[in-house]
């Protein structure tokens, strides 16, 4: 039977070791540093931008985190032993450009090379987001990203309710909510942010209370105003994603044009009776709302929910899909609904995907489109009025 020392020597003979100077030269030059120590060691400090996967999760998580097996990976532990074993494992997994940092992080630190204390989740957060942390595609890094993210909900109504609840539960750190209504008993059939105690309250205040009870990590920023040409650019500024829960055409066109200017992706959702739609408008990468709908339908052919009715569960489904798309955008996960319109029919219980193409002639995002002017739109929603509003 081999002694531990002999075994380590045998493992080291099968892997590549890299010294501090050579590893340092690769820092910030495309090499991926992978820290495989225990959480309490990692929290004390690590190499900047190092990916963190504790040794015990390496086999299960590496493929989800590093799909390209030709990636240059430099593994570190405290002294270079665990990283040697980890390097051997990655070699067996087919990773072709792997090295173990000789002397580990301790020597690295002694040699006065760059390191930093990583932004770490608290024990409460680690418990709260445990089911996210178990997903290699999210992990500690993704959760931290969500906590640092800002999503703006347009409306605290049928779509905004499930979206804000799920994004809040997921730990999206800043939730902006714009709504100028008060809670009415007739809202409670579908607007699950609100309840009996809040009837008569401002919707944004009710939403803020509900989310605060759900997750203290979330900073809820409320905008108790009507979204208009005079304020939209200021309001949406700084958000990573906009979740559009508005229900009228002029606002949708306004949101579209402002989001193009600010280059903020919009997760679009719409509901009508038993049917809903979801898409993602990613500025200048995919089609925009005007590419999909260059002119609004005549008012008599586009009744609102207030006129046509809506089954209460429907916005729950569509708003949840919007929350999912928002998280995918924030974490750069999977295939967002860019260039696709997903249509849901509750009576058939079916989802259908339709291709949406970017229109080269689009008056807003087309190649030859004039500069975008943000202005109040009438019922025709014309994109670029010649006269901006006098304000
Ligand atoms: Zn367009």
């Amino acid at each position: 039977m081999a002694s531990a020392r002999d075994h380590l020597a045998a493992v080291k003979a099968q892997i590549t070791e890299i010294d501090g100077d050579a590893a340092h030269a690769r820092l910030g030059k495309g090499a991926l540093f992978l820290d495989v120590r225990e959480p309490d060691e990692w929290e004390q400090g690590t190499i900047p931008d190092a990916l963190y996967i504790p040794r015990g999760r390496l086999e299960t998580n590496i493929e989800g985190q590093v799909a390209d097996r030709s990636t240059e990976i430099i593994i570190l532990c405290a002294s270079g032993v665990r990283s040697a074993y980890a390097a051997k494992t990655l070699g067996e997994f087919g990773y072709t450009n792997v090295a173990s940092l000789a002397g580990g992080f301790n020597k690295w630190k002694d040699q006065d090379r760059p390191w930093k204390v990583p932004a770490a989740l608290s024990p409460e957060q680690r418990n709260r987001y445990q089911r996210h942390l178990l997903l290699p595609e999210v992990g500690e890094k993704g959760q931290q990203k969500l906590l640092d993210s800002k999503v703006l909900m347009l409306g605290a109504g049928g779509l905004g309710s499930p979206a804000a609840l799920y994004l809040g539960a997921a730990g999206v750190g800043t939730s902006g909510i714009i709504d100028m209504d008060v809670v009415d008993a007739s809202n409670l059939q579908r607007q699950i942010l609100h309840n009996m105690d809040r009837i008569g309250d401002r919707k944004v205040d009710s939403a803020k209370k509900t989310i605060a009870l759900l997750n203290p990590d979330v900073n809820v920023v409320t905008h108790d105003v009507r979204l208009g040409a005079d304020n939209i650019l200021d309001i949406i500024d700084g958000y990573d994603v906009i979740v559009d829960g508005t229900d009228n055409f002029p606002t949708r066109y306004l949101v579209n044009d402002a989001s193009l200017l600010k280059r903020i992706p919009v997760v679009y959702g719409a509901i009508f009776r038993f049917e809903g739609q979801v898409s993602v408008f990613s500025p200048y990468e995919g089609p925009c709302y005007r590419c999909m709908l260059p002119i609004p339908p005549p008012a008599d052919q586009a009744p609102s929910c207030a006129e046509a009715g809506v089954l209460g569960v429907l916005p729950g489904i569509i708003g949840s899909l919007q929350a999912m798309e928002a998280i995918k955008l924030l974490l750069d996960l999977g295939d967002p609904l860019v260039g696709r319109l997903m249509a849901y029919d509750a009576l058939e219980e079916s989802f259908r995907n339709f291709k949406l193409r970017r229109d080269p002639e689009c008056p807003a995002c087309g190649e030859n489109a004039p500069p975008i002017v943000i202005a109040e739109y009438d019922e025709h929603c014309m994109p670029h009025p010649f006269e901006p509003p006098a304000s």
Side-chain angles (χ1 to χ4, degrees):
M1 198 191 299
S3 69
R5 179 194 288 255
D6 292 343
H7 189 253
L8 177 61
V11 166
K12 284 199 174 179
Q14 297 169 50
I15 60 148
T16 305
E17 278 197 301
I18 185 169
D19 66 14
D21 281 338
H24 195 164
R26 299 299 301 145
L27 186 62
K29 303 265 166 52
L32 175 72
F33 285 76
L34 170 61
D35 190 332
V36 296
R37 294 172 300 158
E38 295 302 305
D40 57 317
E41 299 175 277
W42 174 74
E43 279 165 19
Q44 307 284 320
T46 187
I47 294 177
D49 295 325
L51 172 67
Y52 178 58
I53 306 176
R55 180 68 191 87
R57 297 239 177 89
L58 188 63
E59 287 85 347
T60 49
N61 288 15
I62 188 67
E63 287 172 304
Q65 301 259 21
V66 186
D68 180 358
R69 282 173 158 72
S70 66
T71 306
E72 180 186 358
I73 302 175
I74 299 173
I75 310 179
L76 63 131
C77 64
S79 67
V81 174
R82 283 170 289 172
S83 58
Y85 286 108
K88 180 166 186 282
T89 301
L90 292 197
E92 289 161 4
F93 271 57
Y95 289 85
T96 53
N97 191 356
V98 180
S100 164
L101 178 63
F105 183 65
N106 293 345
K107 191 167 180 188
W108 176 276
K109 224 171 131 183
D110 289 344
Q111 292 169 333
D112 244 359
R113 302 186 193 277
W115 63 279
K116 59 161 203 160
V117 176
L121 300 178
S122 67
E124 293 77 27
Q125 288 174 324
R126 205 163 278 142
N127 183 46
R128 175 181 282 271
Y129 305 117
Q130 201 186 38
R131 302 298 192 278
H132 276 169
L133 303 186
L134 289 169
L135 296 168
E137 295 83 354
V138 182
E140 184 116 7
K141 203 172 173 186
Q143 189 61 52
Q144 203 70 56
K145 183 100 193 286
L146 291 179
L147 287 162
D148 292 337
S149 296
K150 299 177 171 184
V151 176
L152 177 65
M153 248 69 57
L154 303 181
L159 296 171
S161 282
L165 280 168
Y166 270 119
L167 292 173
V172 170
T174 301
S175 254
I177 300 182
I178 177 163
D179 204 305
M180 58 170 300
D181 273 344
V182 294
V183 179
D184 183 86
S186 68
N187 301 148
L188 303 182
Q189 167 249 22
R190 65 202 176 282
Q191 299 182 13
I192 56 175
L193 272 171
H194 315 298
N195 60 48
M196 293 288 287
D197 289 343
R198 312 268 174 78
I199 289 172
D201 291 359
R202 310 301 304 174
K203 276 192 183 174
V204 287
D205 296 337
S206 169
K208 186 170 179 151
K209 279 185 194 161
T210 301
I211 294 168
L213 285 169
L214 175 65
N215 188 349
D217 286 343
V218 184
N219 172 32
V220 180
V221 179
T222 59
H223 304 273
D224 193 351
V225 291
R226 178 186 167 274
L227 194 63
D230 56 333
N231 60 16
I232 187 165
L233 291 174
D234 288 335
I235 288 175
I236 69 173
D237 189 50
Y239 283 100
D240 301 306
V241 175
I242 296 170
V243 171
D244 183 2
T246 56
D247 60 356
N248 65 82
F249 290 100
T251 310
R252 286 197 191 124
Y253 285 90
L254 182 69
V255 169
N256 182 69
D257 296 355
S259 68
L260 283 170
L261 263 184
K262 293 276 184 183
R263 298 191 178 244
I264 304 172
V266 175
V267 184
Y268 158 80
I271 48 171
F272 180 71
R273 288 168 48 84
F274 301 98
E275 290 165 40
Q277 300 181 342
V278 191
S279 189
V280 171
F281 301 121
S282 182
Y284 303 102
E285 275 179 34
C288 79
Y289 186 68
R290 286 188 190 277
C291 294
M292 178 177 85
L293 202 67
I295 47 165
D300 60 332
Q301 284 171 36
S304 69
C305 283
E307 296 155 29
V310 63
L311 198 78
V313 188
L314 181 70
I317 292 165
I318 300 300
S320 300
L321 286 168
Q322 288 180 281
M324 180 66 91
E325 289 301 303
I327 288 179
K328 281 164 61 188
L329 290 173
L330 295 172
L331 296 182
D332 201 10
L333 270 182
D335 296 317
L337 283 169
V338 175
R340 284 186 291 155
L341 180 77
M342 188 156 82
Y344 172 64
D345 183 324
L347 296 182
E348 282 182 8
E349 205 60 85
S350 68
F351 285 97
R352 285 194 184 89
N353 266 285
F354 298 93
K355 261 211 168 76
L356 292 178
R357 283 193 182 80
R358 210 175 142 194
D359 177 5
E361 303 296 314
C362 172
C365 79
E367 284 153 29
N368 300 313
I372 290 173
V373 176
I374 300 298
E376 291 296 333
Y377 303 124
D378 57 16
E379 71 271 24
H380 306 299
C381 304
M382 291 317 289
H384 306 297
F386 294 107
E387 293 286 323
S391 67

